[in-house]
Amino acid sequence: MSRLVVVSNRVADPRKPAAGGLAVALGESLQQTGGMWFGWSGTIIEDGPTGEGELHKQQAGKVTLATLDLSREDHDSYYLGYSNKVLWPVFHDRLDLANFDAGFITGYRRANQLFARKLLPLLRDDDIIWVHDYHLIPLAAELRAMGCKQRIGFFLHIPLPPQIIMAAIPQHEWLMRSLFAYDLIGFQAQQDVQHFERYVLNEAHGQALGNDMFRAWNNTVRASAFPIGIDVDEFVALTHAKEARDMYDTMKKEYSTRRLLLGIDRLDYSKGIPNRVRAFRELLANYPENRRSATLIQIASPTRETVDAYGDIRRELESLCGAINGDYGELDWMPVRYIHRMVARKRVPGLCRAAAVGLVTPLRDGMNLVAKEYVAAQDPADPGVLVLSRFAGAAEQLKEALLVNPYDTHGTAETIQQALQMPLDERKSRHQRLLQRIREHDVHWWRETFLEALKEVPSERS
Ligand code: ADQ
């Protein structure tokens, strides 16, 4: 059996239970065949030379963790710069937030070359390599330039933007050409594959060969949708464990006469949190029966705080929540509880189960796992309702959720009201179908289907 090599910006120790669903899924796969997980160590060397970084190797059961330090300059231009000030905003359709500083692309290339140079000597001939996410788009091209012939797959966790938005990135052609150094590209949604196809046909003047095979720049690649899922069994088990039950009991007691609406996100501008809060304000304004009753709990964990756009979204949200609480709050009721912190993973299912409405309303999202976690945590006998943005990848699958356009404040408020009033029978039948869908396409399905496809895709190199 060939060895699996996973490459991602960050590396997690698969033996540690706290790591999230994705880390568990990849770790599990690595444990099965024995494997290697390669990425940045998380350490930044102040004044370190650019394009250099010490390699650390550590054994975690059957898995080798191989990690690299990065110099401050490489980290800031590759990670904070090109990854998070160019690729993240543009791939989420936010050209207005992109900063095309010329130094960023230099650092991004340099860091990817460094990754390739350090990874190459660790590889065996029959390894299967699986690269993750936008930080590492050019990694296969760099490896190929150094003679690497192994199969390499790539999974993009965020959306691929439409051709016309992609084309705004000064290096768009180089990025797309780099993707053709892989054997298989996995996207979250069918829509991403369509965006890829449009780009290949219209911008690269390539061909769609059928069966998800594409040809451009003298290379052929397969590009398909592999929607990521959660570990449903693990999440259901977590829901019944003590921490989650305690959380559920506390919430039910505290809000015994009230209806809870819940949002859990990283505090990222792509998640549409201010739009959600505005829709909630409209709900209170238009349907006064919800005052003193419906309560929005918004948990937003800090993320990428050194990037300016993240400070701006934080200030916007704080002022919005303050204004609603000022306008509608009573001595014994605050409409919004905004918590700028991470909730312990084991408590998340309890919170989800206590909420009558799950609000997952990103302006753009590759998939969104919270939507699936919310469904998994519900009591099938009395489930809550998922309100889901049509712009999340998850909307292609979760058709029984109430889909909204998060830019449409009025429409979203109307849909929240519909969710709050939905009869039990309808809630149950929608939930049953949703649960079935997330079970059919769980994280194990995602990993196995991707790796199977990577092994089978015709490759011109090996
Ligand atoms: P993210 O943008 O991080 O991931 P998401 O899919 O929602 O988004 O996953 C977040 C995970 O972190 C979930 O498991 C959630 O429970 C947890 N989480 C988020 N905020 C939290 C908080 N405040 N407290 C505790 N836990 C919190 C990227 C893409 C997504 C894609 C995933 C996986 O942007 O579209 O679904 O990768 O591919």
Side-chain angles (χ1 to χ4, degrees):
M1 221 195 297
S2 33
R3 182 178 73 152
L4 176 64
V5 175
V6 171
V7 189
S8 56
N9 177 55
R10 292 307 303 270
V11 170
D13 185 334
R15 298 164 306 177
K16 292 200 178 143
L22 178 62
V24 171
L26 292 173
E28 219 175 68
S29 186
L30 288 165
Q31 292 281 15
Q32 276 168 18
T33 51
M36 180 162 72
W37 198 337
F38 184 93
W40 173 41
S41 62
T43 301
I44 300 170
I45 309 293
E46 302 293 341
D47 305 321
T50 58
E52 291 299 330
E54 195 181 336
L55 181 73
H56 309 274
K57 273 170 112 186
Q58 184 194 340
Q59 206 54 35
K62 277 167 81 179
V63 186
T64 307
L65 305 178
T67 57
L68 266 184
D69 299 339
L70 286 177
S71 70
R72 163 63 63 193
E73 201 176 323
D74 284 346
H75 170 267
D76 287 1
S77 51
Y78 144 79
Y79 179 74
L80 291 179
Y82 203 73
S83 297
N84 286 326
K85 291 182 185 163
V86 177
L87 297 178
W88 180 273
V90 176
F91 281 33
H92 288 88
D93 301 345
R94 292 297 301 268
L95 281 174
D96 58 316
L97 295 178
N99 175 349
F100 297 115
D101 183 312
F104 295 162
I105 182 63
T106 314
Y108 183 74
R109 278 208 71 165
R110 199 168 53 223
N112 271 275
Q113 281 163 350
L114 169 66
F115 269 52
R117 213 170 58 240
K118 295 284 183 169
L119 175 60
L120 193 73
L122 306 178
L123 294 176
R124 301 177 191 157
D125 285 348
D126 65 344
D127 277 349
I128 296 253
I129 305 161
W130 192 3
V131 179
H132 288 262
D133 233 358
Y134 58 102
H135 317 88
L136 300 171
I137 292 173
L139 188 70
E142 299 296 354
L143 283 166
R144 299 283 185 227
M146 297 171 192
C148 173
K149 298 254 186 303
Q150 285 89 336
R151 270 165 198 261
I152 317 181
F154 177 74
F155 188 80
L156 186 67
H157 289 260
I158 65 176
L160 189 79
Q163 175 208 343
I164 197 119
I165 292 186
M166 187 72 192
I169 301 180
Q171 305 79 21
H172 65 95
E173 190 185 325
W174 170 76
L175 285 167
M176 292 300 278
R177 185 199 290 254
S178 301
L179 282 175
F180 277 77
Y182 290 96
D183 296 298
L184 174 66
I185 305 166
F187 292 114
Q188 296 275 26
Q190 211 48 54
Q191 194 181 55
D192 303 312
V193 180
Q194 286 162 10
H195 290 165
F196 182 77
E197 175 164 356
R198 287 288 299 273
Y199 187 99
V200 170
L201 298 182
N202 300 334
E203 198 75 36
H205 306 296
Q207 294 162 276
L209 306 172
N211 295 327
D212 286 348
M213 299 297 294
F214 296 91
R215 184 151 183 90
W217 296 293
N218 291 323
N219 273 314
T220 306
V221 70
R222 179 178 162 189
S224 304
F226 298 88
I228 195 168
I230 61 166
D231 187 333
V232 179
D233 292 331
E234 180 219 49
F235 209 79
V236 170
L238 271 182
T239 307
H240 297 293
K242 186 173 180 319
E243 285 91 339
R245 276 192 289 119
D246 287 351
M247 184 80 236
Y248 174 82
D249 291 344
T250 310
M251 298 313 281
K252 279 290 180 191
K253 210 161 109 197
E254 175 132 350
Y255 295 94
S256 59
T257 59
R258 306 211 152 112
R259 315 286 307 280
L260 277 188
L261 297 92
L262 177 69
I264 303 184
D265 313 77
R266 283 184 305 102
L267 183 44
D268 194 289
Y269 50 79
S270 66
K271 304 290 181 184
I273 308 174
N275 304 59
R276 183 183 307 166
V277 176
R278 280 193 286 270
F280 180 65
R281 179 170 61 190
E282 184 139 343
L283 175 86
L284 297 180
N286 296 351
Y287 296 98
E289 70 264 31
N290 290 311
R291 297 184 200 160
R292 286 182 170 277
S293 161
T295 305
L296 171 63
I297 298 198
Q298 176 61 55
I299 302 181
S301 53
T303 180
R304 304 173 198 166
E305 288 187 302
T306 51
V307 178
D308 289 346
Y310 290 79
D312 295 344
I313 190 88
R314 179 179 175 179
R315 279 185 291 279
E316 182 184 1
L317 191 57
E318 281 168 359
S319 104
L320 204 52
C321 294
I324 297 188
N325 283 340
D327 289 346
Y328 290 97
E330 301 283 350
L331 286 172
D332 60 351
W333 172 68
M334 280 297 157
V336 182
R337 284 209 169 175
Y338 158 60
I339 296 157
H340 185 223
R341 227 171 302 131
M342 184 98 187
V343 179
R345 179 148 188 85
K346 289 184 171 168
R347 301 172 79 179
V348 170
L351 261 180
C352 289
R353 200 175 172 96
V357 181
L359 292 175
V360 179
T361 56
L363 303 177
R364 195 76 184 100
D365 219 327
M367 176 55 60
N368 197 302
L369 295 178
V370 178
K372 298 186 173 184
E373 292 170 352
Y374 179 78
V375 171
Q378 296 309 302
D379 174 0
D382 185 16
V385 180
L386 176 64
V387 173
L388 177 64
S389 164
R390 55 171 293 183
F391 305 124
E396 277 189 9
Q397 294 177 293
L398 304 184
K399 297 195 168 70
E400 289 77 18
L402 296 184
L403 295 188
V404 293
N405 166 7
Y407 294 95
D408 175 5
T409 310
H410 178 72
T412 306
E414 291 292 310
T415 307
I416 298 175
Q417 176 68 356
Q418 185 192 345
L420 284 166
Q421 298 202 315
M422 190 180 287
L424 179 62
D425 279 353
E426 186 180 347
R427 281 192 277 130
K428 280 188 357 195
S429 65
R430 283 179 186 266
H431 175 256
Q432 206 174 20
R433 287 290 294 132
L434 288 171
L435 192 59
Q436 207 176 335
R437 290 182 188 278
I438 62 168
R439 271 198 188 286
E440 272 166 24
H441 294 114
D442 69 358
V443 75
H444 307 291
W445 170 89
W446 168 75
R447 179 194 74 207
E448 282 157 19
T449 341
F450 184 94
L451 288 175
E452 213 42 55
L454 179 55
K455 282 174 199 156
E456 281 168 13
V457 71
S459 171
E460 292 162 359
R461 301 174 187 95
S462 47

